[in-house]
Each structure stands twice: as C-alpha cells, then as structure tokens.
Amino acid sequence: PQLTAASLTEGEAVGPYTASEPTLDGPFRDEYTAAPATCRPLVSLKEGTGQYAAPAAEVNRTVDNPDEMLGESVDVQLRSYADGNAARVMQALTKAGTACAAGFTEERAVARAKYLKVETLKAPAIGDEAKAFRFTVLDVKGKLKLYTYLTVVRSGSTTLSFRASILSAKDIGGVPRTVLDTQWKKFQAAEN
C-alpha cells in the first residue's frame, strides 16, 4: 500500500500528460530477456537479471497524452526490495550500460528488438543514486532508428524507473522532466 500511495494515480495530470494503469503488463515486462544476458537489466529489472531477489512490492503506471496515439509515452515503475537488493539492481544496470554500449538484442515473447547503441547519460541529482541511458533501437521492420530513454533512481530500498519512448524517429531528448519531478516529489512526500 505504501508504494501505491507514493506513485502517480490513475487519471492524475502530469504537465501535458495523464497517468494511467498500464493496459498491458506494464513496463519492463518480466518475460523480456536479452542477448547477451548481461544486458537484461536494461530491458527488465526482474529477479534473476542479477543475483538479487524479487521485489517485495511493485507499482506500474503509464504516463502519456491520451489524445496523441503516437506521442511520447513514459512507463513508470516503482519497486521496493529487501536486503540491499535495490543497490544491487543499480550495480547490474551500471555494468550493463558499459558492457552493452555497442548494442544487444532484446528478446520478447514474439519479437526481437535490436539495440544498436547504449549511451550512459548524466542522471538527475536525486535519490541516493541515479542512472540514465539513451538507447538507439531499430524498429521491428528494421528500417527506422528509434530513441528510448531510461532513468532509474534509487532511494533507500526502492527503485523508481522511467522508460520514455515515442513511436517515431523523433528524438525526445530524455525522460520528460515534469514526469520525473512529479513522481519524485510524490514519492518523497509519501516517505516522510
């Protein structure tokens, strides 16, 4: 319940966007894997992606503009872990960011996505630690280069992850700051 209180709520306005419960299985679908396996934390923070256990609790939200079918969309995921596992998640992410700089393949249930490049960006100065990445991904038809951004913030035993993407070749330049800031403030308010 604590995580739910700390997360964006269904219908909440976040700048020009609206938060909602994901219609599908939410971001970081746990069945996503990667080749090589070291890269998996970049697509799924499921247990088994490192040596850490499953999160104790998890909340997923999608933040987008419901009127724009092809506008940007941000998957927000809050997860709380036990026994220092949140810090291990961050270590696995850092390792993946370096090891997978030249790209990797994301394996989904029915499709594969080819990541051409992983760049580590300057992360926002919030939480105990934060990581930010920019992915150059080839679309499923193998024609367009798409840009996806991932920012993960750790605060104590909780990770807040934001994955921003758009279904066009436009580069949105990062996770929209208003989504990040609104969720972070809400999380902090619930923690105090």
Side-chain angles (χ1 to χ4, degrees), residues 3 41 45 49-57 78-94 128-131 152-161 187:
L3 265 194
L45 294 180
T49 42
Q51 285 67 53
Y52 47 86
L78 275 59
R79 280 184 158 179
S80 61
Y81 295 86
D83 310 326
N85 281 322
R88 287 188 196 101
V89 168
M90 300 305 280
Q91 285 163 1
L93 265 175
T94 306
D128 295 318
E129 55 180 326
K131 298 276 159 216
V152 182
V153 178
R154 180 180 71 81
S155 177
S157 62
T158 305
T159 58
L160 297 83
S161 57
F187 174 77

PDB file of all heavy atoms in Angstrom, residues 3 41 45 49-57 78-94 128-131 152-161 187:
ATOM      1  N   LEU A   3       3.753   1.854  -1.440  1.00  0.00           N
ATOM      2  CA  LEU A   3       4.223   2.192  -2.786  1.00  0.00           C
ATOM      3  C   LEU A   3       3.113   2.808  -3.622  1.00  0.00           C
ATOM      4  O   LEU A   3       3.345   3.728  -4.387  1.00  0.00           O
ATOM      5  CB  LEU A   3       4.735   0.944  -3.511  1.00  0.00           C
ATOM      6  CG  LEU A   3       6.221   0.618  -3.477  1.00  0.00           C
ATOM      7  CD1 LEU A   3       6.538  -0.429  -4.529  1.00  0.00           C
ATOM      8  CD2 LEU A   3       7.107   1.825  -3.662  1.00  0.00           C
ATOM      9  N   PRO A  41      19.249  -6.169 -17.494  1.00  0.00           N
ATOM     10  CA  PRO A  41      18.715  -5.096 -16.631  1.00  0.00           C
ATOM     11  C   PRO A  41      18.253  -3.864 -17.413  1.00  0.00           C
ATOM     12  O   PRO A  41      17.438  -3.085 -16.928  1.00  0.00           O
ATOM     13  CB  PRO A  41      19.887  -4.753 -15.714  1.00  0.00           C
ATOM     14  CG  PRO A  41      20.692  -6.003 -15.669  1.00  0.00           C
ATOM     15  CD  PRO A  41      20.583  -6.604 -17.045  1.00  0.00           C
ATOM     16  N   LEU A  45      13.871  -5.418 -15.021  1.00  0.00           N
ATOM     17  CA  LEU A  45      14.520  -5.454 -13.702  1.00  0.00           C
ATOM     18  C   LEU A  45      14.031  -6.655 -12.891  1.00  0.00           C
ATOM     19  O   LEU A  45      13.998  -6.630 -11.679  1.00  0.00           O
ATOM     20  CB  LEU A  45      14.257  -4.151 -12.936  1.00  0.00           C
ATOM     21  CG  LEU A  45      14.893  -2.898 -13.543  1.00  0.00           C
ATOM     22  CD1 LEU A  45      14.574  -1.671 -12.710  1.00  0.00           C
ATOM     23  CD2 LEU A  45      16.401  -3.036 -13.661  1.00  0.00           C
ATOM     24  N   THR A  49      17.965 -11.201 -13.045  1.00  0.00           N
ATOM     25  CA  THR A  49      18.728 -10.410 -14.008  1.00  0.00           C
ATOM     26  C   THR A  49      20.092 -10.140 -13.407  1.00  0.00           C
ATOM     27  O   THR A  49      21.009  -9.751 -14.083  1.00  0.00           O
ATOM     28  CB  THR A  49      18.044  -9.069 -14.310  1.00  0.00           C
ATOM     29  OG1 THR A  49      17.570  -8.537 -13.090  1.00  0.00           O
ATOM     30  CG2 THR A  49      16.882  -9.249 -15.245  1.00  0.00           C
ATOM     31  N   GLY A  50      20.187 -10.343 -12.123  1.00  0.00           N
ATOM     32  CA  GLY A  50      21.484 -10.252 -11.460  1.00  0.00           C
ATOM     33  C   GLY A  50      21.419 -11.373 -10.455  1.00  0.00           C
ATOM     34  O   GLY A  50      20.811 -12.393 -10.706  1.00  0.00           O
ATOM     35  N   GLN A  51      21.953 -11.145  -9.292  1.00  0.00           N
ATOM     36  CA  GLN A  51      21.842 -12.189  -8.269  1.00  0.00           C
ATOM     37  C   GLN A  51      20.866 -11.735  -7.189  1.00  0.00           C
ATOM     38  O   GLN A  51      20.898 -12.210  -6.074  1.00  0.00           O
ATOM     39  CB  GLN A  51      23.209 -12.470  -7.623  1.00  0.00           C
ATOM     40  CG  GLN A  51      24.144 -13.267  -8.511  1.00  0.00           C
ATOM     41  CD  GLN A  51      24.584 -12.508  -9.746  1.00  0.00           C
ATOM     42  OE1 GLN A  51      25.083 -11.395  -9.643  1.00  0.00           O
ATOM     43  NE2 GLN A  51      24.378 -13.077 -10.920  1.00  0.00           N
ATOM     44  N   TYR A  52      20.009 -10.789  -7.519  1.00  0.00           N
ATOM     45  CA  TYR A  52      19.131 -10.257  -6.483  1.00  0.00           C
ATOM     46  C   TYR A  52      17.743 -10.893  -6.556  1.00  0.00           C
ATOM     47  O   TYR A  52      17.331 -11.419  -7.577  1.00  0.00           O
ATOM     48  CB  TYR A  52      19.033  -8.731  -6.565  1.00  0.00           C
ATOM     49  CG  TYR A  52      18.799  -8.210  -7.956  1.00  0.00           C
ATOM     50  CD1 TYR A  52      17.521  -8.108  -8.470  1.00  0.00           C
ATOM     51  CD2 TYR A  52      19.862  -7.832  -8.761  1.00  0.00           C
ATOM     52  CE1 TYR A  52      17.298  -7.635  -9.752  1.00  0.00           C
ATOM     53  CE2 TYR A  52      19.662  -7.366 -10.044  1.00  0.00           C
ATOM     54  CZ  TYR A  52      18.372  -7.271 -10.534  1.00  0.00           C
ATOM     55  OH  TYR A  52      18.165  -6.810 -11.792  1.00  0.00           O
ATOM     56  N   ALA A  53      17.074 -10.813  -5.448  1.00  0.00           N
ATOM     57  CA  ALA A  53      15.764 -11.457  -5.341  1.00  0.00           C
ATOM     58  C   ALA A  53      14.660 -10.579  -5.922  1.00  0.00           C
ATOM     59  O   ALA A  53      14.884  -9.435  -6.283  1.00  0.00           O
ATOM     60  CB  ALA A  53      15.466 -11.739  -3.879  1.00  0.00           C
ATOM     61  N   ALA A  54      13.470 -11.136  -5.972  1.00  0.00           N
ATOM     62  CA  ALA A  54      12.310 -10.419  -6.494  1.00  0.00           C
ATOM     63  C   ALA A  54      11.994  -9.222  -5.599  1.00  0.00           C
ATOM     64  O   ALA A  54      12.271  -9.236  -4.413  1.00  0.00           O
ATOM     65  CB  ALA A  54      11.115 -11.358  -6.518  1.00  0.00           C
ATOM     66  N   PRO A  55      11.385  -8.182  -6.201  1.00  0.00           N
ATOM     67  CA  PRO A  55      10.995  -7.031  -5.376  1.00  0.00           C
ATOM     68  C   PRO A  55       9.891  -7.436  -4.410  1.00  0.00           C
ATOM     69  O   PRO A  55       9.103  -8.334  -4.697  1.00  0.00           O
ATOM     70  CB  PRO A  55      10.485  -6.019  -6.390  1.00  0.00           C
ATOM     71  CG  PRO A  55      10.140  -6.813  -7.602  1.00  0.00           C
ATOM     72  CD  PRO A  55      11.042  -7.998  -7.602  1.00  0.00           C
ATOM     73  N   ALA A  56       9.864  -6.773  -3.265  1.00  0.00           N
ATOM     74  CA  ALA A  56       8.840  -7.063  -2.264  1.00  0.00           C
ATOM     75  C   ALA A  56       7.501  -6.482  -2.706  1.00  0.00           C
ATOM     76  O   ALA A  56       6.439  -7.002  -2.387  1.00  0.00           O
ATOM     77  CB  ALA A  56       9.264  -6.467  -0.927  1.00  0.00           C
ATOM     78  N   ALA A  57       7.549  -5.385  -3.458  1.00  0.00           N
ATOM     79  CA  ALA A  57       6.320  -4.749  -3.941  1.00  0.00           C
ATOM     80  C   ALA A  57       6.635  -4.001  -5.219  1.00  0.00           C
ATOM     81  O   ALA A  57       7.773  -3.621  -5.468  1.00  0.00           O
ATOM     82  CB  ALA A  57       5.790  -3.777  -2.893  1.00  0.00           C
ATOM     83  N   LEU A  78       7.698   1.590  -9.841  1.00  0.00           N
ATOM     84  CA  LEU A  78       8.278   1.709  -8.506  1.00  0.00           C
ATOM     85  C   LEU A  78       8.405   0.299  -7.953  1.00  0.00           C
ATOM     86  O   LEU A  78       7.442  -0.475  -7.995  1.00  0.00           O
ATOM     87  CB  LEU A  78       7.355   2.520  -7.580  1.00  0.00           C
ATOM     88  CG  LEU A  78       7.497   4.044  -7.621  1.00  0.00           C
ATOM     89  CD1 LEU A  78       7.250   4.590  -9.003  1.00  0.00           C
ATOM     90  CD2 LEU A  78       6.564   4.694  -6.616  1.00  0.00           C
ATOM     91  N   ARG A  79       9.584  -0.042  -7.457  1.00  0.00           N
ATOM     92  CA  ARG A  79       9.779  -1.366  -6.863  1.00  0.00           C
ATOM     93  C   ARG A  79      10.530  -1.226  -5.541  1.00  0.00           C
ATOM     94  O   ARG A  79      11.511  -0.485  -5.477  1.00  0.00           O
ATOM     95  CB  ARG A  79      10.617  -2.258  -7.798  1.00  0.00           C
ATOM     96  CG  ARG A  79       9.815  -2.852  -8.920  1.00  0.00           C
ATOM     97  CD  ARG A  79      10.633  -3.803  -9.760  1.00  0.00           C
ATOM     98  NE  ARG A  79       9.723  -4.719 -10.472  1.00  0.00           N
ATOM     99  CZ  ARG A  79      10.118  -5.666 -11.321  1.00  0.00           C
ATOM    100  NH1 ARG A  79      11.397  -5.838 -11.557  1.00  0.00           N
ATOM    101  NH2 ARG A  79       9.250  -6.443 -11.913  1.00  0.00           N
ATOM    102  N   SER A  80      10.067  -1.928  -4.524  1.00  0.00           N
ATOM    103  CA  SER A  80      10.832  -1.919  -3.272  1.00  0.00           C
ATOM    104  C   SER A  80      11.433  -3.299  -3.065  1.00  0.00           C
ATOM    105  O   SER A  80      10.816  -4.313  -3.384  1.00  0.00           O
ATOM    106  CB  SER A  80       9.951  -1.517  -2.093  1.00  0.00           C
ATOM    107  OG  SER A  80       8.906  -2.448  -1.940  1.00  0.00           O
ATOM    108  N   TYR A  81      12.665  -3.300  -2.595  1.00  0.00           N
ATOM    109  CA  TYR A  81      13.429  -4.532  -2.418  1.00  0.00           C
ATOM    110  C   TYR A  81      13.855  -4.707  -0.965  1.00  0.00           C
ATOM    111  O   TYR A  81      13.875  -3.748  -0.205  1.00  0.00           O
ATOM    112  CB  TYR A  81      14.714  -4.478  -3.263  1.00  0.00           C
ATOM    113  CG  TYR A  81      14.494  -4.452  -4.749  1.00  0.00           C
ATOM    114  CD1 TYR A  81      14.271  -3.243  -5.416  1.00  0.00           C
ATOM    115  CD2 TYR A  81      14.522  -5.615  -5.503  1.00  0.00           C
ATOM    116  CE1 TYR A  81      14.086  -3.211  -6.792  1.00  0.00           C
ATOM    117  CE2 TYR A  81      14.333  -5.591  -6.881  1.00  0.00           C
ATOM    118  CZ  TYR A  81      14.122  -4.391  -7.514  1.00  0.00           C
ATOM    119  OH  TYR A  81      13.941  -4.359  -8.870  1.00  0.00           O
ATOM    120  N   ALA A  82      14.233  -5.932  -0.625  1.00  0.00           N
ATOM    121  CA  ALA A  82      14.762  -6.202   0.713  1.00  0.00           C
ATOM    122  C   ALA A  82      16.281  -6.356   0.635  1.00  0.00           C
ATOM    123  O   ALA A  82      16.837  -6.536  -0.448  1.00  0.00           O
ATOM    124  CB  ALA A  82      14.134  -7.484   1.243  1.00  0.00           C
ATOM    125  N   ASP A  83      16.938  -6.300   1.782  1.00  0.00           N
ATOM    126  CA  ASP A  83      18.352  -6.691   1.929  1.00  0.00           C
ATOM    127  C   ASP A  83      19.336  -6.069   0.945  1.00  0.00           C
ATOM    128  O   ASP A  83      20.173  -6.776   0.383  1.00  0.00           O
ATOM    129  CB  ASP A  83      18.505  -8.215   1.788  1.00  0.00           C
ATOM    130  CG  ASP A  83      17.522  -8.978   2.675  1.00  0.00           C
ATOM    131  OD1 ASP A  83      17.237  -8.466   3.771  1.00  0.00           O
ATOM    132  OD2 ASP A  83      17.042 -10.045   2.272  1.00  0.00           O
ATOM    133  N   GLY A  84      19.243  -4.788   0.731  1.00  0.00           N
ATOM    134  CA  GLY A  84      20.252  -4.153  -0.128  1.00  0.00           C
ATOM    135  C   GLY A  84      20.157  -4.538  -1.601  1.00  0.00           C
ATOM    136  O   GLY A  84      21.056  -4.250  -2.392  1.00  0.00           O
ATOM    137  N   ASN A  85      19.063  -5.206  -1.983  1.00  0.00           N
ATOM    138  CA  ASN A  85      18.948  -5.623  -3.380  1.00  0.00           C
ATOM    139  C   ASN A  85      18.742  -4.451  -4.330  1.00  0.00           C
ATOM    140  O   ASN A  85      19.108  -4.536  -5.499  1.00  0.00           O
ATOM    141  CB  ASN A  85      17.833  -6.649  -3.551  1.00  0.00           C
ATOM    142  CG  ASN A  85      18.277  -8.029  -3.108  1.00  0.00           C
ATOM    143  OD1 ASN A  85      19.416  -8.415  -3.332  1.00  0.00           O
ATOM    144  ND2 ASN A  85      17.409  -8.776  -2.479  1.00  0.00           N
ATOM    145  N   ALA A  86      18.168  -3.357  -3.846  1.00  0.00           N
ATOM    146  CA  ALA A  86      17.977  -2.181  -4.714  1.00  0.00           C
ATOM    147  C   ALA A  86      19.343  -1.674  -5.190  1.00  0.00           C
ATOM    148  O   ALA A  86      19.515  -1.314  -6.350  1.00  0.00           O
ATOM    149  CB  ALA A  86      17.225  -1.081  -3.971  1.00  0.00           C
ATOM    150  N   ALA A  87      20.332  -1.677  -4.296  1.00  0.00           N
ATOM    151  CA  ALA A  87      21.680  -1.231  -4.659  1.00  0.00           C
ATOM    152  C   ALA A  87      22.293  -2.197  -5.672  1.00  0.00           C
ATOM    153  O   ALA A  87      23.001  -1.789  -6.593  1.00  0.00           O
ATOM    154  CB  ALA A  87      22.560  -1.121  -3.415  1.00  0.00           C
ATOM    155  N   ARG A  88      21.973  -3.487  -5.539  1.00  0.00           N
ATOM    156  CA  ARG A  88      22.497  -4.487  -6.485  1.00  0.00           C
ATOM    157  C   ARG A  88      21.889  -4.289  -7.875  1.00  0.00           C
ATOM    158  O   ARG A  88      22.540  -4.497  -8.886  1.00  0.00           O
ATOM    159  CB  ARG A  88      22.211  -5.905  -5.995  1.00  0.00           C
ATOM    160  CG  ARG A  88      23.097  -6.280  -4.831  1.00  0.00           C
ATOM    161  CD  ARG A  88      22.954  -7.757  -4.452  1.00  0.00           C
ATOM    162  NE  ARG A  88      23.532  -7.935  -3.139  1.00  0.00           N
ATOM    163  CZ  ARG A  88      22.834  -8.026  -2.019  1.00  0.00           C
ATOM    164  NH1 ARG A  88      21.519  -8.015  -2.043  1.00  0.00           N
ATOM    165  NH2 ARG A  88      23.430  -8.152  -0.859  1.00  0.00           N
ATOM    166  N   VAL A  89      20.624  -3.890  -7.911  1.00  0.00           N
ATOM    167  CA  VAL A  89      19.970  -3.602  -9.192  1.00  0.00           C
ATOM    168  C   VAL A  89      20.742  -2.488  -9.904  1.00  0.00           C
ATOM    169  O   VAL A  89      21.018  -2.567 -11.100  1.00  0.00           O
ATOM    170  CB  VAL A  89      18.492  -3.163  -8.963  1.00  0.00           C
ATOM    171  CG1 VAL A  89      17.895  -2.581 -10.232  1.00  0.00           C
ATOM    172  CG2 VAL A  89      17.652  -4.335  -8.487  1.00  0.00           C
ATOM    173  N   MET A  90      21.106  -1.454  -9.145  1.00  0.00           N
ATOM    174  CA  MET A  90      21.830  -0.322  -9.730  1.00  0.00           C
ATOM    175  C   MET A  90      23.207  -0.761 -10.239  1.00  0.00           C
ATOM    176  O   MET A  90      23.660  -0.320 -11.287  1.00  0.00           O
ATOM    177  CB  MET A  90      21.977   0.813  -8.704  1.00  0.00           C
ATOM    178  CG  MET A  90      20.661   1.372  -8.191  1.00  0.00           C
ATOM    179  SD  MET A  90      19.510   1.945  -9.478  1.00  0.00           S
ATOM    180  CE  MET A  90      20.167   3.562  -9.874  1.00  0.00           C
ATOM    181  N   GLN A  91      23.866  -1.656  -9.486  1.00  0.00           N
ATOM    182  CA  GLN A  91      25.172  -2.160  -9.920  1.00  0.00           C
ATOM    183  C   GLN A  91      25.032  -2.927 -11.237  1.00  0.00           C
ATOM    184  O   GLN A  91      25.835  -2.775 -12.152  1.00  0.00           O
ATOM    185  CB  GLN A  91      25.778  -3.088  -8.861  1.00  0.00           C
ATOM    186  CG  GLN A  91      26.333  -2.342  -7.659  1.00  0.00           C
ATOM    187  CD  GLN A  91      26.545  -3.260  -6.443  1.00  0.00           C
ATOM    188  OE1 GLN A  91      26.296  -4.463  -6.494  1.00  0.00           O
ATOM    189  NE2 GLN A  91      26.997  -2.671  -5.360  1.00  0.00           N
ATOM    190  N   ALA A  92      23.973  -3.754 -11.316  1.00  0.00           N
ATOM    191  CA  ALA A  92      23.737  -4.544 -12.529  1.00  0.00           C
ATOM    192  C   ALA A  92      23.453  -3.619 -13.718  1.00  0.00           C
ATOM    193  O   ALA A  92      23.913  -3.866 -14.836  1.00  0.00           O
ATOM    194  CB  ALA A  92      22.568  -5.509 -12.314  1.00  0.00           C
ATOM    195  N   LEU A  93      22.718  -2.530 -13.469  1.00  0.00           N
ATOM    196  CA  LEU A  93      22.424  -1.549 -14.520  1.00  0.00           C
ATOM    197  C   LEU A  93      23.691  -0.862 -15.015  1.00  0.00           C
ATOM    198  O   LEU A  93      23.885  -0.689 -16.204  1.00  0.00           O
ATOM    199  CB  LEU A  93      21.487  -0.462 -13.962  1.00  0.00           C
ATOM    200  CG  LEU A  93      19.996  -0.608 -14.165  1.00  0.00           C
ATOM    201  CD1 LEU A  93      19.289   0.521 -13.430  1.00  0.00           C
ATOM    202  CD2 LEU A  93      19.613  -0.585 -15.637  1.00  0.00           C
ATOM    203  N   THR A  94      24.532  -0.458 -14.060  1.00  0.00           N
ATOM    204  CA  THR A  94      25.783   0.218 -14.404  1.00  0.00           C
ATOM    205  C   THR A  94      26.644  -0.686 -15.266  1.00  0.00           C
ATOM    206  O   THR A  94      27.196  -0.278 -16.292  1.00  0.00           O
ATOM    207  CB  THR A  94      26.556   0.591 -13.114  1.00  0.00           C
ATOM    208  OG1 THR A  94      25.673   1.348 -12.286  1.00  0.00           O
ATOM    209  CG2 THR A  94      27.784   1.421 -13.404  1.00  0.00           C
ATOM    210  N   ASP A 128      19.468   8.428  -3.734  1.00  0.00           N
ATOM    211  CA  ASP A 128      20.785   8.015  -3.257  1.00  0.00           C
ATOM    212  C   ASP A 128      21.721   7.810  -4.442  1.00  0.00           C
ATOM    213  O   ASP A 128      22.917   8.015  -4.347  1.00  0.00           O
ATOM    214  CB  ASP A 128      20.673   6.714  -2.452  1.00  0.00           C
ATOM    215  CG  ASP A 128      19.866   6.943  -1.180  1.00  0.00           C
ATOM    216  OD1 ASP A 128      20.077   7.987  -0.531  1.00  0.00           O
ATOM    217  OD2 ASP A 128      19.024   6.098  -0.842  1.00  0.00           O
ATOM    218  N   GLU A 129      21.166   7.364  -5.558  1.00  0.00           N
ATOM    219  CA  GLU A 129      21.936   7.243  -6.794  1.00  0.00           C
ATOM    220  C   GLU A 129      20.949   7.187  -7.948  1.00  0.00           C
ATOM    221  O   GLU A 129      19.795   6.826  -7.779  1.00  0.00           O
ATOM    222  CB  GLU A 129      22.843   6.005  -6.788  1.00  0.00           C
ATOM    223  CG  GLU A 129      22.149   4.705  -6.515  1.00  0.00           C
ATOM    224  CD  GLU A 129      23.101   3.498  -6.516  1.00  0.00           C
ATOM    225  OE1 GLU A 129      24.081   3.501  -7.302  1.00  0.00           O
ATOM    226  OE2 GLU A 129      22.853   2.560  -5.751  1.00  0.00           O
ATOM    227  N   ALA A 130      21.433   7.572  -9.117  1.00  0.00           N
ATOM    228  CA  ALA A 130      20.563   7.554 -10.298  1.00  0.00           C
ATOM    229  C   ALA A 130      21.393   7.231 -11.528  1.00  0.00           C
ATOM    230  O   ALA A 130      22.576   7.553 -11.583  1.00  0.00           O
ATOM    231  CB  ALA A 130      19.880   8.913 -10.462  1.00  0.00           C
ATOM    232  N   LYS A 131      20.765   6.564 -12.477  1.00  0.00           N
ATOM    233  CA  LYS A 131      21.420   6.192 -13.739  1.00  0.00           C
ATOM    234  C   LYS A 131      20.513   6.626 -14.875  1.00  0.00           C
ATOM    235  O   LYS A 131      19.282   6.527 -14.755  1.00  0.00           O
ATOM    236  CB  LYS A 131      21.598   4.674 -13.846  1.00  0.00           C
ATOM    237  CG  LYS A 131      22.482   4.083 -12.777  1.00  0.00           C
ATOM    238  CD  LYS A 131      23.935   4.191 -13.170  1.00  0.00           C
ATOM    239  CE  LYS A 131      24.835   4.093 -11.965  1.00  0.00           C
ATOM    240  NZ  LYS A 131      25.996   4.932 -12.030  1.00  0.00           N
ATOM    241  N   VAL A 152      16.763   5.482 -13.973  1.00  0.00           N
ATOM    242  CA  VAL A 152      16.418   4.718 -12.770  1.00  0.00           C
ATOM    243  C   VAL A 152      17.016   5.437 -11.569  1.00  0.00           C
ATOM    244  O   VAL A 152      18.200   5.783 -11.554  1.00  0.00           O
ATOM    245  CB  VAL A 152      16.955   3.264 -12.828  1.00  0.00           C
ATOM    246  CG1 VAL A 152      16.521   2.488 -11.580  1.00  0.00           C
ATOM    247  CG2 VAL A 152      16.455   2.544 -14.083  1.00  0.00           C
ATOM    248  N   VAL A 153      16.176   5.704 -10.575  1.00  0.00           N
ATOM    249  CA  VAL A 153      16.602   6.401  -9.363  1.00  0.00           C
ATOM    250  C   VAL A 153      16.441   5.434  -8.199  1.00  0.00           C
ATOM    251  O   VAL A 153      15.412   4.767  -8.081  1.00  0.00           O
ATOM    252  CB  VAL A 153      15.717   7.651  -9.114  1.00  0.00           C
ATOM    253  CG1 VAL A 153      16.130   8.369  -7.821  1.00  0.00           C
ATOM    254  CG2 VAL A 153      15.781   8.604 -10.300  1.00  0.00           C
ATOM    255  N   ARG A 154      17.459   5.357  -7.352  1.00  0.00           N
ATOM    256  CA  ARG A 154      17.309   4.539  -6.142  1.00  0.00           C
ATOM    257  C   ARG A 154      17.220   5.449  -4.940  1.00  0.00           C
ATOM    258  O   ARG A 154      18.019   6.365  -4.773  1.00  0.00           O
ATOM    259  CB  ARG A 154      18.507   3.596  -5.957  1.00  0.00           C
ATOM    260  CG  ARG A 154      18.362   2.736  -4.677  1.00  0.00           C
ATOM    261  CD  ARG A 154      19.525   1.797  -4.474  1.00  0.00           C
ATOM    262  NE  ARG A 154      20.761   2.469  -4.095  1.00  0.00           N
ATOM    263  CZ  ARG A 154      21.064   2.868  -2.845  1.00  0.00           C
ATOM    264  NH1 ARG A 154      20.216   2.697  -1.848  1.00  0.00           N
ATOM    265  NH2 ARG A 154      22.220   3.467  -2.600  1.00  0.00           N
ATOM    266  N   SER A 155      16.225   5.180  -4.092  1.00  0.00           N
ATOM    267  CA  SER A 155      16.099   5.882  -2.821  1.00  0.00           C
ATOM    268  C   SER A 155      15.955   4.802  -1.759  1.00  0.00           C
ATOM    269  O   SER A 155      14.940   4.117  -1.692  1.00  0.00           O
ATOM    270  CB  SER A 155      14.867   6.785  -2.840  1.00  0.00           C
ATOM    271  OG  SER A 155      14.725   7.412  -1.582  1.00  0.00           O
ATOM    272  N   GLY A 156      17.011   4.598  -0.978  1.00  0.00           N
ATOM    273  CA  GLY A 156      16.974   3.531   0.022  1.00  0.00           C
ATOM    274  C   GLY A 156      16.750   2.187  -0.646  1.00  0.00           C
ATOM    275  O   GLY A 156      17.485   1.794  -1.550  1.00  0.00           O
ATOM    276  N   SER A 157      15.684   1.500  -0.248  1.00  0.00           N
ATOM    277  CA  SER A 157      15.426   0.152  -0.774  1.00  0.00           C
ATOM    278  C   SER A 157      14.433   0.154  -1.938  1.00  0.00           C
ATOM    279  O   SER A 157      13.920  -0.871  -2.332  1.00  0.00           O
ATOM    280  CB  SER A 157      14.889  -0.726   0.354  1.00  0.00           C
ATOM    281  OG  SER A 157      13.664  -0.178   0.819  1.00  0.00           O
ATOM    282  N   THR A 158      14.155   1.360  -2.485  1.00  0.00           N
ATOM    283  CA  THR A 158      13.187   1.470  -3.583  1.00  0.00           C
ATOM    284  C   THR A 158      13.861   1.966  -4.856  1.00  0.00           C
ATOM    285  O   THR A 158      14.731   2.843  -4.803  1.00  0.00           O
ATOM    286  CB  THR A 158      12.057   2.454  -3.195  1.00  0.00           C
ATOM    287  OG1 THR A 158      11.481   2.021  -1.969  1.00  0.00           O
ATOM    288  CG2 THR A 158      10.969   2.510  -4.259  1.00  0.00           C
ATOM    289  N   THR A 159      13.438   1.399  -5.999  1.00  0.00           N
ATOM    290  CA  THR A 159      13.900   1.951  -7.284  1.00  0.00           C
ATOM    291  C   THR A 159      12.694   2.560  -7.988  1.00  0.00           C
ATOM    292  O   THR A 159      11.588   2.027  -7.920  1.00  0.00           O
ATOM    293  CB  THR A 159      14.525   0.873  -8.213  1.00  0.00           C
ATOM    294  OG1 THR A 159      13.563  -0.153  -8.452  1.00  0.00           O
ATOM    295  CG2 THR A 159      15.788   0.286  -7.619  1.00  0.00           C
ATOM    296  N   LEU A 160      12.924   3.701  -8.616  1.00  0.00           N
ATOM    297  CA  LEU A 160      11.899   4.362  -9.428  1.00  0.00           C
ATOM    298  C   LEU A 160      12.462   4.390 -10.837  1.00  0.00           C
ATOM    299  O   LEU A 160      13.522   4.970 -11.073  1.00  0.00           O
ATOM    300  CB  LEU A 160      11.666   5.805  -8.956  1.00  0.00           C
ATOM    301  CG  LEU A 160      11.124   6.024  -7.543  1.00  0.00           C
ATOM    302  CD1 LEU A 160      12.237   5.993  -6.517  1.00  0.00           C
ATOM    303  CD2 LEU A 160      10.416   7.364  -7.453  1.00  0.00           C
ATOM    304  N   SER A 161      11.807   3.687 -11.753  1.00  0.00           N
ATOM    305  CA  SER A 161      12.339   3.680 -13.107  1.00  0.00           C
ATOM    306  C   SER A 161      11.372   4.321 -14.085  1.00  0.00           C
ATOM    307  O   SER A 161      10.156   4.215 -13.944  1.00  0.00           O
ATOM    308  CB  SER A 161      12.712   2.264 -13.536  1.00  0.00           C
ATOM    309  OG  SER A 161      11.605   1.419 -13.438  1.00  0.00           O
ATOM    310  N   PHE A 187       6.706  10.656  -4.315  1.00  0.00           N
ATOM    311  CA  PHE A 187       7.394   9.581  -3.597  1.00  0.00           C
ATOM    312  C   PHE A 187       7.980  10.109  -2.289  1.00  0.00           C
ATOM    313  O   PHE A 187       7.801   9.514  -1.231  1.00  0.00           O
ATOM    314  CB  PHE A 187       8.508   8.990  -4.484  1.00  0.00           C
ATOM    315  CG  PHE A 187       9.369   7.981  -3.768  1.00  0.00           C
ATOM    316  CD1 PHE A 187       8.901   6.689  -3.554  1.00  0.00           C
ATOM    317  CD2 PHE A 187      10.637   8.321  -3.305  1.00  0.00           C
ATOM    318  CE1 PHE A 187       9.688   5.762  -2.868  1.00  0.00           C
ATOM    319  CE2 PHE A 187      11.419   7.392  -2.647  1.00  0.00           C
ATOM    320  CZ  PHE A 187      10.948   6.103  -2.417  1.00  0.00           C
TER     321      PHE A 187
END
